[in-house]
Amino acid sequence: MDQSLIHDAEYDHLLRVLEKNLEIPQDCTYADQKAIDNESLQMVFERVKFTRKGAELKALAGRGIGYHHSSLNAKEKQLVEILFRKGFIRVVTATGTLALGINMPCKSVVFAQNSVYLDALNYRQMSGRAGRRGQDLMGDVYFFDIPLPKIEKLIKSNVPELRGQFPLSISLVLRLMLLASKGDDPEDAEAKVLSVLKHSLLAFKQPRALEMLKLYFLFSLQFLVKEGYVDREGNPMGFAGLVSHLHYHEPSNLVFVSFLVKGLFHNLCQPTRRGSKCFSQDVMERLVLVLAHLFGRRYIPAKFQDANLKFYQSKVFLEDLPEDFKAALDEYNMNVTKGFASFLLVVSKLADMKQEHQLPLSKIDFTGEECEDSQLVSHLLSCKEGRRAVSPFACLSGNSDADLLHPETPDHVTQCTIGISNISAPVLWPQRLDNQGRRMPLNAYALDFYKHGSLLGLVQDNRINEGAAYQLLKDFALTIQSISISLRELCGNEEDNVVLAFEQLSETFSEKFKKI
């Protein structure tokens, strides 16, 4: 009995000594212990207890240091933001994620390295963090290892003018139709829809752009009616909800639904035996293969196919789509390109031909009328006949209206003043070519991870940065989950094989992802 008491006393003494040795000396930390009470601090730490970088962030926070970048999840970012605003963390290293939309003012900002992404706009946003309202009379900005001419240019440059981008897409139009038909207040919903359509920055004081947007809206409605997403009265139907849930993946969301409607997923998702609710590993891998061709597409430079590289866990290069899916994709692309080509021919009437006939760099007008007697000029300009939507200068290279939507055709072939090009067409080309005409294979990171479940394997073999790989896998897992939930809501048959297969895949992929 006495011996056990002695052992307990020695154990307690060792714990106290260890705790004292692990204490961070005040002269070895930036943390302000008085900035936040211990109960609140532990509450913040508890939120990241089971996250990927939680332990590391907690240890650094004890020293008053944090880091912030896009590959951290929401709880990890919030830990750094909360403790920094409280004053507990006083040094944060960050990427451009702190440039916009986050309230984290500080005493000083240090630009520690030159970058091609460090332009006047990012400089203004990041340097604007320096100086805390109500605490500092002035904020300090430091430059380290950045050439002096670059510093002068950043300080003296004006902020770039805001320019409107093409605001519409098929999915956005569908979501607007959903808002107009499902809104609790029809008048308010209609007003919001019209506000989005009429008040685009692209169309500000540009009547031609506004007319073009109207024509694109009509094209989108025609496409949605033809594909069965809305009826002739504009009411959403069928798989409209699923397409809108995956709006950030256009045109892959539209292609996915076209596969679903054709019954390709029902042919693929066959259980191990009749009446079973489980699917074999081979079925799951083929399902991931199809999804990897649609969502989270990441290309590999063509030169890596010829390089003699050794891969340890991953296959790296994604296999081609199964034949039935590839045939369906080709049919979908052909139907869409026909409709979009007709739309380009219509909208080309809005082009400013005076501006189209200006040389791109010198802005010299050249319509050919100045050299009517020249045989060479007459020969070159004759190629414009029968070409309505192609730029006059692109015509000189032999491009015609029939080439507008080929995957090899550059984006600048269409007339520049109509404000739209072939990249706005909702087509998904099965392959991409580099500037030398070589095929660029897709990265098989999603399928490789599903097979081996190793984030390190993706870093070593697939040549993806760890943070980027984590973010890609997270997006892929959320996409599968969105599809699974949407299909369960849409399908009345609880025993549907496709619904069961996606639920099994979502559960399996999420379990693998949570382990990294």
Side-chain angles (χ1 to χ4, degrees), residues 76-317:
E76 292 167 343
K77 291 179 184 177
Q78 289 168 7
L79 178 143
V80 178
E81 294 165 12
I82 291 171
L83 296 184
F84 186 77
R85 283 199 294 266
K86 290 288 186 180
F88 184 83
I89 290 178
R90 297 200 288 181
V91 178
V92 174
T93 61
T95 59
T97 55
L98 284 183
L100 296 169
I102 298 177
N103 180 25
M104 287 181 62
C106 55
K107 169 67 176 175
S108 304
V109 171
V110 180
F111 293 91
Q113 189 178 9
N114 194 12
S115 170
V116 295
Y117 301 106
L118 181 55
D119 55 17
L121 179 61
N122 281 319
Y123 165 72
R124 294 292 179 89
Q125 291 289 343
M126 295 178 188
S127 62
R129 303 288 174 189
R132 296 162 294 181
R133 181 177 296 178
Q135 299 184 48
D136 305 315
L137 293 177
M138 296 180 65
D140 301 320
V141 178
Y142 299 91
F143 294 94
F144 180 77
D145 197 24
I146 297 178
L148 186 59
K150 176 71 175 284
I151 297 175
E152 293 177 352
K153 184 178 179 181
L154 290 173
I155 294 175
K156 296 178 181 179
S157 296
N158 294 323
V159 177
E161 293 182 4
L162 290 176
R163 296 181 179 272
Q165 301 295 322
F166 189 73
L168 295 183
S169 66
I170 301 288
S171 298
L172 175 59
V173 172
L174 179 59
R175 295 171 70 199
L176 293 176
M177 301 304 292
L178 282 167
L179 174 61
S181 63
K182 304 293 185 181
D184 295 332
D185 186 346
E187 292 185 1
D188 179 64
E190 183 179 347
K192 290 177 179 177
V193 171
L194 291 175
S195 175
V196 172
L197 295 175
K198 289 183 177 180
H199 301 134
S200 165
L201 182 58
L202 178 67
F204 182 66
K205 294 183 179 180
Q206 298 188 57
R208 288 177 183 269
L210 184 59
E211 291 299 319
M212 183 272 296
L213 292 177
K214 290 179 181 179
L215 290 173
Y216 186 82
F217 181 79
L218 292 176
F219 162 76
S220 302
L221 278 182
Q222 182 183 18
F223 175 86
L224 293 172
V225 172
K226 183 179 178 181
E227 296 295 321
Y229 298 118
V230 297
D231 58 24
R232 294 187 177 275
E233 296 180 357
N235 298 313
M237 55 185 288
F239 291 99
L242 175 56
V243 171
S244 63
H245 286 166
L246 301 175
H247 65 91
Y248 44 87
H249 285 300
E250 187 179 322
S252 298
N253 55 346
L254 302 169
V255 176
F256 174 82
V257 172
S258 71
F259 288 168
L260 194 64
V261 172
K262 288 181 179 295
L264 299 181
F265 286 112
H266 285 87
N267 296 335
L268 173 61
C269 301
Q270 296 298 323
T272 52
R273 61 182 183 275
R274 181 180 291 274
S276 174
K277 296 183 180 181
C278 297
F279 300 86
S280 65
Q281 182 69 10
D282 181 62
V283 170
M284 292 289 99
E285 290 180 3
R286 286 173 64 83
L287 186 56
V288 174
L289 171 64
V290 173
L291 295 178
H293 273 277
L294 300 181
F295 306 106
R297 292 158 64 96
R298 188 182 180 96
Y299 287 94
I300 301 174
K303 63 181 181 180
F304 282 100
Q305 292 185 105
D306 302 327
N308 188 19
L309 300 175
K310 185 177 181 180
F311 304 124
Y312 297 93
Q313 298 185 67
S314 304
K315 292 189 68 174
V316 180
F317 302 115

Side-chain angles (χ1 to χ4, degrees), residues 356-465:
E356 291 287 349
H357 282 99
Q358 285 183 344
L359 295 175
L361 298 179
S362 64
K363 302 301 181 183
I364 297 174
D365 292 327
F366 186 81
T367 60
E369 297 176 357
E370 305 86 347
C371 306
E372 291 180 350
D373 299 334
S374 171
Q375 293 182 356
L376 175 60
V377 173
S378 299
H379 173 71
L380 290 175
L381 293 180
S382 65
C383 67
K384 294 192 299 181
E385 298 178 3
R387 291 164 170 82
R388 295 160 52 191
V390 179
S391 164
F393 296 99
C395 287
L396 301 178
S397 301
N399 294 292
S400 66
D401 291 337
D403 302 321
L404 285 175
L405 294 176
H406 286 183
E408 301 86 359
T409 304
D411 299 336
H412 58 266
V413 164
T414 54
Q415 295 172 342
C416 60
T417 57
I418 62 176
I420 192 170
S421 65
N422 53 0
I423 60 174
S424 299
V427 294
L428 184 71
W429 300 116
Q431 64 182 24
R432 177 182 294 180
L433 305 179
D434 64 8
N435 55 7
Q436 298 182 25
R438 299 175 299 182
R439 180 183 177 185
M440 300 172 63
L442 283 169
N443 198 317
Y445 70 89
L447 181 58
D448 291 334
F449 176 78
Y450 181 77
K451 291 180 178 179
H452 58 59
S454 171
L455 188 64
L456 181 61
L458 300 185
V459 175
Q460 291 177 339
D461 293 341
N462 298 71
R463 305 298 199 273
I464 305 177
N465 176 271

